[in-house]
Amino acid sequence: RLRVLSGIQPTSGSFHLGNYLGAVRQWVALQESHDAFYMVVDLHAITVAQDPAVLRENTRVSVAQLLGVGLDPERCTLFVQSHVPEHAQLAWVMNCLTGFGEASRMTQFKDKSAKQGSDSTTVGLFTYPILQVADILLYQADQVPVGEDQRQHVELTRDLAERFNTRFGPTFTVPKPYIPKETAKIFDLQDPAAKMSKSASSPKGLISLLDDIKGSAKKFKSAVTDTDTVIAYDEKEKPGVSNLLSIYSAISGRSVEELVEHFDGKMYGALKTELADYYSEWVAPIQERTRTYLEDPAELDKVLAQGAEKARAVAAPTLAQAYDRIGFLPPV
Ligand code: ATP
Ligand code: MG
């Protein structure tokens, strides 16, 4: 069995449609065919300031929501990143193998720091791609199911794995990104040039799965499109309409071609209303299941304790081998 690893930040009370379609939906599918490791990356979350109580709550909600969309702790290893200390430990090693210029080329950092200004941008935000390298390499992952925005970080992971292996001998599996094209990038409903994002989208552009369903339906209905009237898929000329078609296709399982035919001769309003209705029916059971898990904190704790144990069983020997290769004296 090939191994997959991925993570999601507990930076909001719910993940959004982009997170789900770009990444988490693949996680659910891959747990059937792969040896799967999935985590809530709280170490990544603190690259920007977090309120402790809110972070704790959001971490629990994230885990419940992952269970709510269909992750099964019997089929995958689900854990919280800070429960496995090896992540921070290997990250230091990887920091020392990364060029400053190399890290400076990461576009996620450039985008995020540009929005914050240099005084509120932390060194942690600068090096978080390197923590991500450690996250992936610790588990010897073959594939990394993520959205398009993370492709560059998986490339960095490949470079560092190869660099380490060349310098110290074969140690790490060189992973590949796993990014299905159709849902690689879901766009902000109000700004179809920007990716839907927990931290950067305006509330009206962001569909968070646990939000009030009526409110989300309204957001679909007021999504920004264009002044044309024909419903067609054209990312360049009709980014807003194409985004709605991608979303509808992905959650309904109907192909974009089929949908375009279905809407032939109809106005944008028809697409928006139908999508809003379909989404509402689709998301209700997800919310219900997430609530059930949140109401049983003892069960959630059990899942996380088991997950951390299974994760450490893989991460600890990988770190020990890396330490040994580097020349760290083994503890006596
Ligand atoms: P932030 O903007 O604060 O980084 P985020 O919305 O990107 O938050 P993350 O937790 O960083 O959320 O990302 C979790 C996963 O979701 C990653 O694999 C990422 O590539 C994917 N993802 C995030 N936004 C989108 C999007 N708009 N379309 C497709 N995939 C996405
Ligand atoms: Mg992100």
Side-chain angles (χ1 to χ4, degrees):
R1 275 191 162 208
L2 290 179
R3 186 169 286 164
V4 294
L5 173 128
S6 196
I8 187 159
Q9 299 192 71
T11 40
S12 116
S14 166
F15 47 75
H16 57 74
L17 256 185
N19 299 139
Y20 177 73
L21 295 177
V24 175
R25 192 166 74 128
Q26 281 65 256
W27 300 8
V28 177
L30 289 166
Q31 68 182 344
E32 307 299 338
S33 50
H34 287 63
D35 184 18
F37 288 77
Y38 303 126
M39 57 183 175
V40 175
V41 291
D42 51 355
L43 298 180
H44 287 282
I46 63 164
T47 53
V48 297
Q50 300 290 336
D51 176 89
V54 174
L55 178 60
R56 218 168 274 132
E57 174 63 16
N58 286 348
T59 302
R60 294 191 86 85
V61 174
S62 301
V63 175
Q65 202 180 357
L66 289 173
L67 296 168
V69 296
L71 287 190
D72 176 356
E74 300 298 320
R75 294 189 162 78
C76 69
T77 300
L78 175 60
F79 63 104
V80 170
Q81 187 186 27
S82 65
H83 293 177
V84 182
E86 286 80 4
H87 290 260
Q89 293 175 289
L90 187 63
W92 177 253
V93 172
M94 293 299 153
N95 266 295
C96 297
L97 288 180
T98 310
F100 190 82
E102 190 176 30
S104 308
R105 285 193 289 276
M106 296 297 121
T107 58
Q108 280 275 304
F109 171 74
K110 286 196 252 183
D111 292 350
K112 289 186 171 186
S113 60
K115 281 184 199 112
Q116 295 176 355
S118 69
D119 279 342
S120 42
T121 297
T122 65
V123 175
L125 186 69
F126 182 65
T127 65
Y128 98 85
I130 304 166
L131 174 58
Q132 218 175 314
V133 169
D135 296 340
I136 298 165
L137 297 185
L138 269 180
Y139 298 90
Q140 308 285 16
D142 299 287
Q143 290 173 342
V144 187
V146 285
E148 181 61 39
D149 62 315
Q150 295 301 316
R151 184 185 295 278
Q152 195 186 25
H153 297 163
V154 182
E155 289 303 324
L156 177 69
T157 308
R158 294 173 56 83
D159 290 345
L160 283 166
E162 279 164 359
R163 192 171 305 158
F164 190 103
N165 291 347
T166 305
R167 202 173 293 177
F168 301 111
T171 306
F172 294 115
T173 302
V174 182
K176 290 196 176 69
Y178 180 91
I179 309 176
K181 199 170 130 285
E182 298 73 24
T183 51
K185 193 166 181 184
I186 300 298
F187 297 90
D188 186 317
L189 296 187
Q190 286 300 311
D191 178 7
K195 93 167 183 97
M196 193 179 281
S197 149
K198 288 195 203 107
S199 58
S201 289
S202 70
K204 281 187 74 186
L206 180 71
I207 301 289
S208 289
L209 267 51
L210 298 183
D211 275 3
D212 170 61
I213 298 179
K214 286 208 178 81
S216 294
K218 268 198 201 124
K219 293 185 197 178
F220 280 118
K221 288 179 189 166
S222 54
V224 167
T225 46
D226 53 65
T227 54
D228 191 29
T229 53
V230 182
I231 296 177
Y233 191 89
D234 183 336
E235 285 171 38
K236 278 221 173 63
E237 300 298 326
K238 302 164 102 34
V241 172
S242 301
N243 190 39
L244 295 177
L245 284 169
S246 297
I247 292 172
Y248 194 8
S249 165
I251 64 176
S252 69
R254 297 165 73 182
S255 71
V256 168
E257 296 73 41
E258 188 191 330
L259 290 176
V260 167
E261 202 165 302
H262 167 74
F263 286 112
D264 183 41
K266 296 196 180 124
M267 309 282 266
Y268 288 169
L271 167 60
K272 291 178 179 179
T273 307
E274 223 183 274
L275 171 55
D277 290 346
Y278 193 94
Y279 171 83
S280 303
E281 300 255 318
W282 172 83
V283 83
I286 292 178
Q287 293 195 353
E288 186 52 42
R289 284 195 298 270
T290 302
R291 230 173 279 131
T292 314
Y293 287 109
L294 275 175
E295 282 160 7
D296 192 352
E299 177 61 26
L300 214 66
D301 285 344
K302 211 177 92 195
V303 166
L304 290 181
Q306 247 174 38
E309 196 182 311
K310 276 159 70 186
R312 285 202 80 179
V314 178
T318 312
L319 181 76
Q321 188 176 39
Y323 270 20
D324 182 57
R325 294 269 155 87
I326 291 163
F328 289 166
L329 203 57
V332 282

